Amino acid sequence: MRRRELLKSGVAAITAAAVPLPVMAQDKFPSKPITLIVPWPAGGPTDVVLRAMAEVAGRKLGQSVVVDNKAGATGTLGPATMAGTAKPDGYTICQMAISTVRLPQMQKMSYDAVRDFTYIIHLTGYVFGCTVKGDSPYKSWKDVLDFAKANPGKLNYASTGAGSSLHIGMEQLAAHSGVKFNHVPFKGEAEAFAALMGGHVDVMAAGTGRSDLISTGLIRIINIWADQRSKRIPDVPTLKELGYPFVFDSPWGIAGPKGMDPAVVAALHDAFKAGLDDAGVQGVMEKFEMTPNYLGSAEYTKHVPKLIDQERAYLDRIGLLLKP
């Protein structure tokens, strides 16, 4: 009996020794902090919301989710950097603004929006609008159009970058109205807001998250780009009410590099879904008028080609589509 037990233990030891060391040492994901690239400057609405989500997701994962602000190229510098340099191990992920699928149709980019990313979860979008200073002579959108018609190219508007939803939206409004605006791009909303308050631009195309400043007299929001009026600023008309057939909400989510393990994708999906469902996070989203717009990994992946087709049609309409 004793001899048989010794033989069994010897066989077990030999079997264990035969298993490759990397397999035996493989850690359960995640075993270290995760980097979440936010492709916008710190302090803007997207940054604030994602930091709140990252805190909840980190608790769910048992590891910190650390935000890395990598602003530039209208929200595409972060995704492009990730696609080009990050390992597909789940430890580097990035917010995917709609500009990630739009800019490759405007200019040559270093990545392919379909093939070079693993789409993890679609989260939300924005309520956009046009904001002016509280003491601006533009009391309504009609005032803006009247000035632009009388002074072609002299009305300056700020956006979060060339190719952003705000830039494309304003150009569509201009084309539809038969006017010409002068576009002044910035790296993020915080910079654009500073330019507005400093009097360097006449109008800021941005999210409506600063609507709490209306009561102070600092700003005035003169239109919103959502399907319905905002509950926070119910007196502001939508584009549809102003005669435009447009709704711009710039949906976004989170992705990683191509080739990620489905189990890792599932873990990250569940963590950020917990963030999306968290009451505290929803309170932060509500402050910036972001409504949950959830798609799971498979649905999000299928949705990306549809977004590309939609953006191609927009760009073609205003003459910004990259020529073959």
Side-chain angles (χ1 to χ4, degrees):
M1 186 71 177
R2 176 65 176 165
R3 184 170 178 273
R4 185 179 301 168
E5 289 174 355
L6 287 171
L7 283 172
K8 284 183 178 180
S9 63
V11 171
I14 292 170
T15 302
V19 176
L21 186 59
V23 174
M24 293 180 66
Q26 189 173 19
D27 295 318
K28 181 181 178 182
F29 178 85
S31 61
K32 61 182 180 180
I34 294 162
T35 296
L36 169 60
I37 297 173
V38 175
W40 309 103
T46 307
D47 176 71
V48 173
V49 167
L50 279 171
R51 285 178 187 273
M53 278 192 188
E55 185 174 343
V56 176
R59 291 200 297 267
K60 175 81 171 176
L61 291 164
Q63 290 285 346
S64 298
V65 178
V66 181
V67 169
D68 177 17
N69 294 97
K70 201 174 291 295
T74 318
T76 63
L77 176 61
T81 301
M82 179 182 70
T85 64
K87 297 178 181 179
D89 54 10
Y91 290 104
T92 303
I93 56 179
C94 186
Q95 187 245 5
M96 304 294 282
I98 199 167
S99 53
T100 310
V101 304
R102 178 185 298 133
L103 256 66
Q105 301 182 77
M106 298 176 66
Q107 62 191 60
K108 291 184 178 180
M109 302 292 288
S110 62
Y111 63 83
D112 183 285
V114 173
R115 295 194 297 265
D116 289 339
F117 301 105
T118 301
Y119 290 91
I120 297 169
I121 183 169
H122 191 279
L123 294 167
T124 184
Y126 305 91
V127 175
F128 290 138
C130 289
T131 300
V132 298
K133 287 182 68 177
D135 60 1
S136 168
Y138 309 116
K139 309 298 182 185
S140 67
W141 180 245
K142 181 178 181 301
D143 291 340
V144 171
L145 293 182
D146 287 346
F147 178 86
K149 288 175 182 178
N151 304 274
K154 292 188 178 181
L155 186 130
N156 298 320
Y157 76 89
S159 83
T160 53
S164 66
S165 294
L166 298 161
H167 171 215
I168 300 305
M170 286 294 285
E171 293 306 312
Q172 289 201 72
L173 296 182
H176 190 85
S177 301
V179 299
K180 182 174 177 56
F181 300 140
N182 182 43
H183 179 219
V184 184
F186 292 89
K187 288 184 178 180
E189 188 173 306
E191 290 184 5
F193 183 72
L196 178 73
M197 300 312 294
H200 305 296
V201 295
D202 303 297
V203 177
M204 177 179 72
T208 57
R210 288 185 167 86
S211 58
D212 56 332
L213 296 177
I214 292 175
S215 62
T216 68
L218 285 175
I219 65 168
R220 183 185 305 117
I221 298 176
I222 55 177
N223 63 35
I224 64 167
W225 301 1
D227 187 55
Q228 298 179 345
R229 289 198 180 201
S230 164
K231 292 180 181 178
R232 298 181 67 193
I233 43 175
D235 296 333
V236 180
T238 66
L239 292 179
K240 286 185 175 180
E241 291 176 290
L242 294 171
Y244 298 94
F246 304 131
V247 173
F248 306 118
D249 59 2
S250 194
W252 56 267
I254 291 175
K258 66 179 179 181
M260 289 175 60
D261 185 330
V264 171
V265 173
L268 289 166
H269 166 276
D270 293 350
F272 279 91
K273 181 63 164 62
L276 184 65
D277 293 340
D278 182 80
V281 173
Q282 289 183 2
V284 177
M285 292 174 67
E286 185 177 350
K287 177 183 176 183
F288 294 108
E289 296 211 71
M290 295 186 195
T291 303
N293 183 6
Y294 165 75
L295 291 175
S297 305
E299 294 83 0
Y300 189 11
T301 301
K302 292 178 182 177
H303 188 57
V304 169
K306 297 177 184 178
L307 287 175
I308 291 173
D309 290 342
Q310 170 189 293
E311 294 303 314
R312 183 180 295 115
Y314 287 161
L315 293 170
D316 189 39
R317 188 179 302 152
I318 57 177
L320 292 179
L321 190 65
L322 179 66
K323 302 302 180 184

mmCIF file with all atom_site columns, all heavy atoms in Angstrom, residues 113-127:
data_model
loop_
_atom_site.group_PDB
_atom_site.id
_atom_site.type_symbol
_atom_site.label_atom_id
_atom_site.label_alt_id
_atom_site.label_comp_id
_atom_site.label_asym_id
_atom_site.label_entity_id
_atom_site.label_seq_id
_atom_site.pdbx_PDB_ins_code
_atom_site.Cartn_x
_atom_site.Cartn_y
_atom_site.Cartn_z
_atom_site.occupancy
_atom_site.B_iso_or_equiv
_atom_site.pdbx_formal_charge
_atom_site.auth_seq_id
_atom_site.auth_comp_id
_atom_site.auth_asym_id
_atom_site.auth_atom_id
_atom_site.pdbx_PDB_model_num
ATOM 1   N N   . ALA A 1 113 ? -10.585 51.147 -38.278 1.00 0.00 ? 113 ALA A N   1
ATOM 2   C CA  . ALA A 1 113 ? -11.554 51.204 -37.185 1.00 0.00 ? 113 ALA A CA  1
ATOM 3   C C   . ALA A 1 113 ? -12.272 49.877 -36.958 1.00 0.00 ? 113 ALA A C   1
ATOM 4   O O   . ALA A 1 113 ? -12.735 49.604 -35.840 1.00 0.00 ? 113 ALA A O   1
ATOM 5   C CB  . ALA A 1 113 ? -12.583 52.304 -37.448 1.00 0.00 ? 113 ALA A CB  1
ATOM 6   N N   . VAL A 1 114 ? -12.363 49.037 -37.965 1.00 0.00 ? 114 VAL A N   1
ATOM 7   C CA  . VAL A 1 114 ? -13.029 47.745 -37.814 1.00 0.00 ? 114 VAL A CA  1
ATOM 8   C C   . VAL A 1 114 ? -12.052 46.668 -37.352 1.00 0.00 ? 114 VAL A C   1
ATOM 9   O O   . VAL A 1 114 ? -12.318 45.922 -36.407 1.00 0.00 ? 114 VAL A O   1
ATOM 10  C CB  . VAL A 1 114 ? -13.707 47.320 -39.131 1.00 0.00 ? 114 VAL A CB  1
ATOM 11  C CG1 . VAL A 1 114 ? -14.257 45.896 -39.031 1.00 0.00 ? 114 VAL A CG1 1
ATOM 12  C CG2 . VAL A 1 114 ? -14.824 48.299 -39.490 1.00 0.00 ? 114 VAL A CG2 1
ATOM 13  N N   . ARG A 1 115 ? -10.882 46.594 -37.994 1.00 0.00 ? 115 ARG A N   1
ATOM 14  C CA  . ARG A 1 115 ? -9.973  45.466 -37.768 1.00 0.00 ? 115 ARG A CA  1
ATOM 15  C C   . ARG A 1 115 ? -9.020  45.629 -36.586 1.00 0.00 ? 115 ARG A C   1
ATOM 16  O O   . ARG A 1 115 ? -8.544  44.636 -36.039 1.00 0.00 ? 115 ARG A O   1
ATOM 17  C CB  . ARG A 1 115 ? -9.146  45.202 -39.037 1.00 0.00 ? 115 ARG A CB  1
ATOM 18  C CG  . ARG A 1 115 ? -9.952  44.752 -40.232 1.00 0.00 ? 115 ARG A CG  1
ATOM 19  C CD  . ARG A 1 115 ? -9.041  44.204 -41.316 1.00 0.00 ? 115 ARG A CD  1
ATOM 20  N NE  . ARG A 1 115 ? -8.136  45.238 -41.817 1.00 0.00 ? 115 ARG A NE  1
ATOM 21  C CZ  . ARG A 1 115 ? -8.376  45.975 -42.885 1.00 0.00 ? 115 ARG A CZ  1
ATOM 22  N NH1 . ARG A 1 115 ? -9.511  45.811 -43.555 1.00 0.00 ? 115 ARG A NH1 1
ATOM 23  N NH2 . ARG A 1 115 ? -7.508  46.872 -43.311 1.00 0.00 ? 115 ARG A NH2 1
ATOM 24  N N   . ASP A 1 116 ? -8.723  46.869 -36.187 1.00 0.00 ? 116 ASP A N   1
ATOM 25  C CA  . ASP A 1 116 ? -7.633  47.082 -35.228 1.00 0.00 ? 116 ASP A CA  1
ATOM 26  C C   . ASP A 1 116 ? -8.063  47.252 -33.779 1.00 0.00 ? 116 ASP A C   1
ATOM 27  O O   . ASP A 1 116 ? -7.241  47.578 -32.918 1.00 0.00 ? 116 ASP A O   1
ATOM 28  C CB  . ASP A 1 116 ? -6.799  48.299 -35.654 1.00 0.00 ? 116 ASP A CB  1
ATOM 29  C CG  . ASP A 1 116 ? -5.978  48.014 -36.903 1.00 0.00 ? 116 ASP A CG  1
ATOM 30  O OD1 . ASP A 1 116 ? -5.742  46.824 -37.178 1.00 0.00 ? 116 ASP A OD1 1
ATOM 31  O OD2 . ASP A 1 116 ? -5.587  48.968 -37.594 1.00 0.00 ? 116 ASP A OD2 1
ATOM 32  N N   . PHE A 1 117 ? -9.350  47.012 -33.490 1.00 0.00 ? 117 PHE A N   1
ATOM 33  C CA  . PHE A 1 117 ? -9.826  47.168 -32.119 1.00 0.00 ? 117 PHE A CA  1
ATOM 34  C C   . PHE A 1 117 ? -10.719 46.000 -31.714 1.00 0.00 ? 117 PHE A C   1
ATOM 35  O O   . PHE A 1 117 ? -11.363 45.372 -32.557 1.00 0.00 ? 117 PHE A O   1
ATOM 36  C CB  . PHE A 1 117 ? -10.617 48.471 -31.957 1.00 0.00 ? 117 PHE A CB  1
ATOM 37  C CG  . PHE A 1 117 ? -9.826  49.702 -32.300 1.00 0.00 ? 117 PHE A CG  1
ATOM 38  C CD1 . PHE A 1 117 ? -10.049 50.382 -33.488 1.00 0.00 ? 117 PHE A CD1 1
ATOM 39  C CD2 . PHE A 1 117 ? -8.844  50.171 -31.444 1.00 0.00 ? 117 PHE A CD2 1
ATOM 40  C CE1 . PHE A 1 117 ? -9.324  51.523 -33.811 1.00 0.00 ? 117 PHE A CE1 1
ATOM 41  C CE2 . PHE A 1 117 ? -8.100  51.299 -31.752 1.00 0.00 ? 117 PHE A CE2 1
ATOM 42  C CZ  . PHE A 1 117 ? -8.342  51.971 -32.935 1.00 0.00 ? 117 PHE A CZ  1
ATOM 43  N N   . THR A 1 118 ? -10.742 45.739 -30.422 1.00 0.00 ? 118 THR A N   1
ATOM 44  C CA  . THR A 1 118 ? -11.693 44.793 -29.832 1.00 0.00 ? 118 THR A CA  1
ATOM 45  C C   . THR A 1 118 ? -12.717 45.619 -29.071 1.00 0.00 ? 118 THR A C   1
ATOM 46  O O   . THR A 1 118 ? -12.390 46.253 -28.054 1.00 0.00 ? 118 THR A O   1
ATOM 47  C CB  . THR A 1 118 ? -10.990 43.830 -28.861 1.00 0.00 ? 118 THR A CB  1
ATOM 48  O OG1 . THR A 1 118 ? -9.979  43.096 -29.557 1.00 0.00 ? 118 THR A OG1 1
ATOM 49  C CG2 . THR A 1 118 ? -11.994 42.853 -28.263 1.00 0.00 ? 118 THR A CG2 1
ATOM 50  N N   . TYR A 1 119 ? -13.935 45.645 -29.549 1.00 0.00 ? 119 TYR A N   1
ATOM 51  C CA  . TYR A 1 119 ? -14.966 46.496 -28.944 1.00 0.00 ? 119 TYR A CA  1
ATOM 52  C C   . TYR A 1 119 ? -15.564 45.804 -27.723 1.00 0.00 ? 119 TYR A C   1
ATOM 53  O O   . TYR A 1 119 ? -16.047 44.678 -27.808 1.00 0.00 ? 119 TYR A O   1
ATOM 54  C CB  . TYR A 1 119 ? -16.021 46.867 -29.982 1.00 0.00 ? 119 TYR A CB  1
ATOM 55  C CG  . TYR A 1 119 ? -15.456 47.822 -31.009 1.00 0.00 ? 119 TYR A CG  1
ATOM 56  C CD1 . TYR A 1 119 ? -14.860 47.358 -32.184 1.00 0.00 ? 119 TYR A CD1 1
ATOM 57  C CD2 . TYR A 1 119 ? -15.455 49.188 -30.769 1.00 0.00 ? 119 TYR A CD2 1
ATOM 58  C CE1 . TYR A 1 119 ? -14.301 48.235 -33.101 1.00 0.00 ? 119 TYR A CE1 1
ATOM 59  C CE2 . TYR A 1 119 ? -14.893 50.077 -31.685 1.00 0.00 ? 119 TYR A CE2 1
ATOM 60  C CZ  . TYR A 1 119 ? -14.324 49.596 -32.841 1.00 0.00 ? 119 TYR A CZ  1
ATOM 61  O OH  . TYR A 1 119 ? -13.755 50.467 -33.742 1.00 0.00 ? 119 TYR A OH  1
ATOM 62  N N   . ILE A 1 120 ? -15.506 46.502 -26.599 1.00 0.00 ? 120 ILE A N   1
ATOM 63  C CA  . ILE A 1 120 ? -15.849 45.896 -25.312 1.00 0.00 ? 120 ILE A CA  1
ATOM 64  C C   . ILE A 1 120 ? -17.263 46.240 -24.866 1.00 0.00 ? 120 ILE A C   1
ATOM 65  O O   . ILE A 1 120 ? -18.054 45.352 -24.554 1.00 0.00 ? 120 ILE A O   1
ATOM 66  C CB  . ILE A 1 120 ? -14.831 46.348 -24.235 1.00 0.00 ? 120 ILE A CB  1
ATOM 67  C CG1 . ILE A 1 120 ? -13.439 45.833 -24.609 1.00 0.00 ? 120 ILE A CG1 1
ATOM 68  C CG2 . ILE A 1 120 ? -15.242 45.840 -22.847 1.00 0.00 ? 120 ILE A CG2 1
ATOM 69  C CD1 . ILE A 1 120 ? -12.321 46.441 -23.778 1.00 0.00 ? 120 ILE A CD1 1
ATOM 70  N N   . ILE A 1 121 ? -17.599 47.529 -24.837 1.00 0.00 ? 121 ILE A N   1
ATOM 71  C CA  . ILE A 1 121 ? -18.921 47.937 -24.363 1.00 0.00 ? 121 ILE A CA  1
ATOM 72  C C   . ILE A 1 121 ? -19.232 49.334 -24.874 1.00 0.00 ? 121 ILE A C   1
ATOM 73  O O   . ILE A 1 121 ? -18.372 50.215 -24.884 1.00 0.00 ? 121 ILE A O   1
ATOM 74  C CB  . ILE A 1 121 ? -19.005 47.891 -22.820 1.00 0.00 ? 121 ILE A CB  1
ATOM 75  C CG1 . ILE A 1 121 ? -20.419 48.251 -22.322 1.00 0.00 ? 121 ILE A CG1 1
ATOM 76  C CG2 . ILE A 1 121 ? -17.951 48.785 -22.172 1.00 0.00 ? 121 ILE A CG2 1
ATOM 77  C CD1 . ILE A 1 121 ? -20.632 47.975 -20.839 1.00 0.00 ? 121 ILE A CD1 1
ATOM 78  N N   . HIS A 1 122 ? -20.451 49.514 -25.343 1.00 0.00 ? 122 HIS A N   1
ATOM 79  C CA  . HIS A 1 122 ? -20.939 50.840 -25.734 1.00 0.00 ? 122 HIS A CA  1
ATOM 80  C C   . HIS A 1 122 ? -21.687 51.411 -24.539 1.00 0.00 ? 122 HIS A C   1
ATOM 81  O O   . HIS A 1 122 ? -22.506 50.732 -23.929 1.00 0.00 ? 122 HIS A O   1
ATOM 82  C CB  . HIS A 1 122 ? -21.866 50.712 -26.946 1.00 0.00 ? 122 HIS A CB  1
ATOM 83  C CG  . HIS A 1 122 ? -22.204 52.011 -27.591 1.00 0.00 ? 122 HIS A CG  1
ATOM 84  N ND1 . HIS A 1 122 ? -23.172 52.853 -27.105 1.00 0.00 ? 122 HIS A ND1 1
ATOM 85  C CD2 . HIS A 1 122 ? -21.687 52.629 -28.679 1.00 0.00 ? 122 HIS A CD2 1
ATOM 86  C CE1 . HIS A 1 122 ? -23.255 53.922 -27.872 1.00 0.00 ? 122 HIS A CE1 1
ATOM 87  N NE2 . HIS A 1 122 ? -22.356 53.818 -28.834 1.00 0.00 ? 122 HIS A NE2 1
ATOM 88  N N   . LEU A 1 123 ? -21.441 52.704 -24.228 1.00 0.00 ? 123 LEU A N   1
ATOM 89  C CA  . LEU A 1 123 ? -21.900 53.236 -22.954 1.00 0.00 ? 123 LEU A CA  1
ATOM 90  C C   . LEU A 1 123 ? -22.926 54.357 -23.043 1.00 0.00 ? 123 LEU A C   1
ATOM 91  O O   . LEU A 1 123 ? -23.955 54.315 -22.367 1.00 0.00 ? 123 LEU A O   1
ATOM 92  C CB  . LEU A 1 123 ? -20.691 53.728 -22.137 1.00 0.00 ? 123 LEU A CB  1
ATOM 93  C CG  . LEU A 1 123 ? -19.714 52.636 -21.695 1.00 0.00 ? 123 LEU A CG  1
ATOM 94  C CD1 . LEU A 1 123 ? -18.418 53.254 -21.188 1.00 0.00 ? 123 LEU A CD1 1
ATOM 95  C CD2 . LEU A 1 123 ? -20.354 51.776 -20.609 1.00 0.00 ? 123 LEU A CD2 1
ATOM 96  N N   . THR A 1 124 ? -22.658 55.373 -23.839 1.00 0.00 ? 124 THR A N   1
ATOM 97  C CA  . THR A 1 124 ? -23.524 56.557 -23.777 1.00 0.00 ? 124 THR A CA  1
ATOM 98  C C   . THR A 1 124 ? -23.270 57.471 -24.965 1.00 0.00 ? 124 THR A C   1
ATOM 99  O O   . THR A 1 124 ? -22.602 57.101 -25.934 1.00 0.00 ? 124 THR A O   1
ATOM 100 C CB  . THR A 1 124 ? -23.272 57.322 -22.450 1.00 0.00 ? 124 THR A CB  1
ATOM 101 O OG1 . THR A 1 124 ? -24.175 58.415 -22.337 1.00 0.00 ? 124 THR A OG1 1
ATOM 102 C CG2 . THR A 1 124 ? -21.852 57.833 -22.355 1.00 0.00 ? 124 THR A CG2 1
ATOM 103 N N   . GLY A 1 125 ? -23.798 58.667 -24.898 1.00 0.00 ? 125 GLY A N   1
ATOM 104 C CA  . GLY A 1 125 ? -23.571 59.716 -25.883 1.00 0.00 ? 125 GLY A CA  1
ATOM 105 C C   . GLY A 1 125 ? -23.745 61.058 -25.195 1.00 0.00 ? 125 GLY A C   1
ATOM 106 O O   . GLY A 1 125 ? -23.766 61.134 -23.964 1.00 0.00 ? 125 GLY A O   1
ATOM 107 N N   . TYR A 1 126 ? -23.894 62.118 -25.975 1.00 0.00 ? 126 TYR A N   1
ATOM 108 C CA  . TYR A 1 126 ? -23.958 63.459 -25.409 1.00 0.00 ? 126 TYR A CA  1
ATOM 109 C C   . TYR A 1 126 ? -25.233 64.180 -25.831 1.00 0.00 ? 126 TYR A C   1
ATOM 110 O O   . TYR A 1 126 ? -25.850 63.839 -26.829 1.00 0.00 ? 126 TYR A O   1
ATOM 111 C CB  . TYR A 1 126 ? -22.780 64.313 -25.899 1.00 0.00 ? 126 TYR A CB  1
ATOM 112 C CG  . TYR A 1 126 ? -21.410 63.726 -25.659 1.00 0.00 ? 126 TYR A CG  1
ATOM 113 C CD1 . TYR A 1 126 ? -20.803 62.917 -26.621 1.00 0.00 ? 126 TYR A CD1 1
ATOM 114 C CD2 . TYR A 1 126 ? -20.709 63.996 -24.493 1.00 0.00 ? 126 TYR A CD2 1
ATOM 115 C CE1 . TYR A 1 126 ? -19.529 62.397 -26.418 1.00 0.00 ? 126 TYR A CE1 1
ATOM 116 C CE2 . TYR A 1 126 ? -19.437 63.471 -24.281 1.00 0.00 ? 126 TYR A CE2 1
ATOM 117 C CZ  . TYR A 1 126 ? -18.859 62.677 -25.245 1.00 0.00 ? 126 TYR A CZ  1
ATOM 118 O OH  . TYR A 1 126 ? -17.598 62.155 -25.049 1.00 0.00 ? 126 TYR A OH  1
ATOM 119 N N   . VAL A 1 127 ? -25.582 65.201 -25.073 1.00 0.00 ? 127 VAL A N   1
ATOM 120 C CA  . VAL A 1 127 ? -26.540 66.202 -25.538 1.00 0.00 ? 127 VAL A CA  1
ATOM 121 C C   . VAL A 1 127 ? -25.717 67.436 -25.875 1.00 0.00 ? 127 VAL A C   1
ATOM 122 O O   . VAL A 1 127 ? -25.109 68.056 -25.009 1.00 0.00 ? 127 VAL A O   1
ATOM 123 C CB  . VAL A 1 127 ? -27.600 66.540 -24.469 1.00 0.00 ? 127 VAL A CB  1
ATOM 124 C CG1 . VAL A 1 127 ? -28.493 67.670 -24.966 1.00 0.00 ? 127 VAL A CG1 1
ATOM 125 C CG2 . VAL A 1 127 ? -28.446 65.317 -24.144 1.00 0.00 ? 127 VAL A CG2 1
#
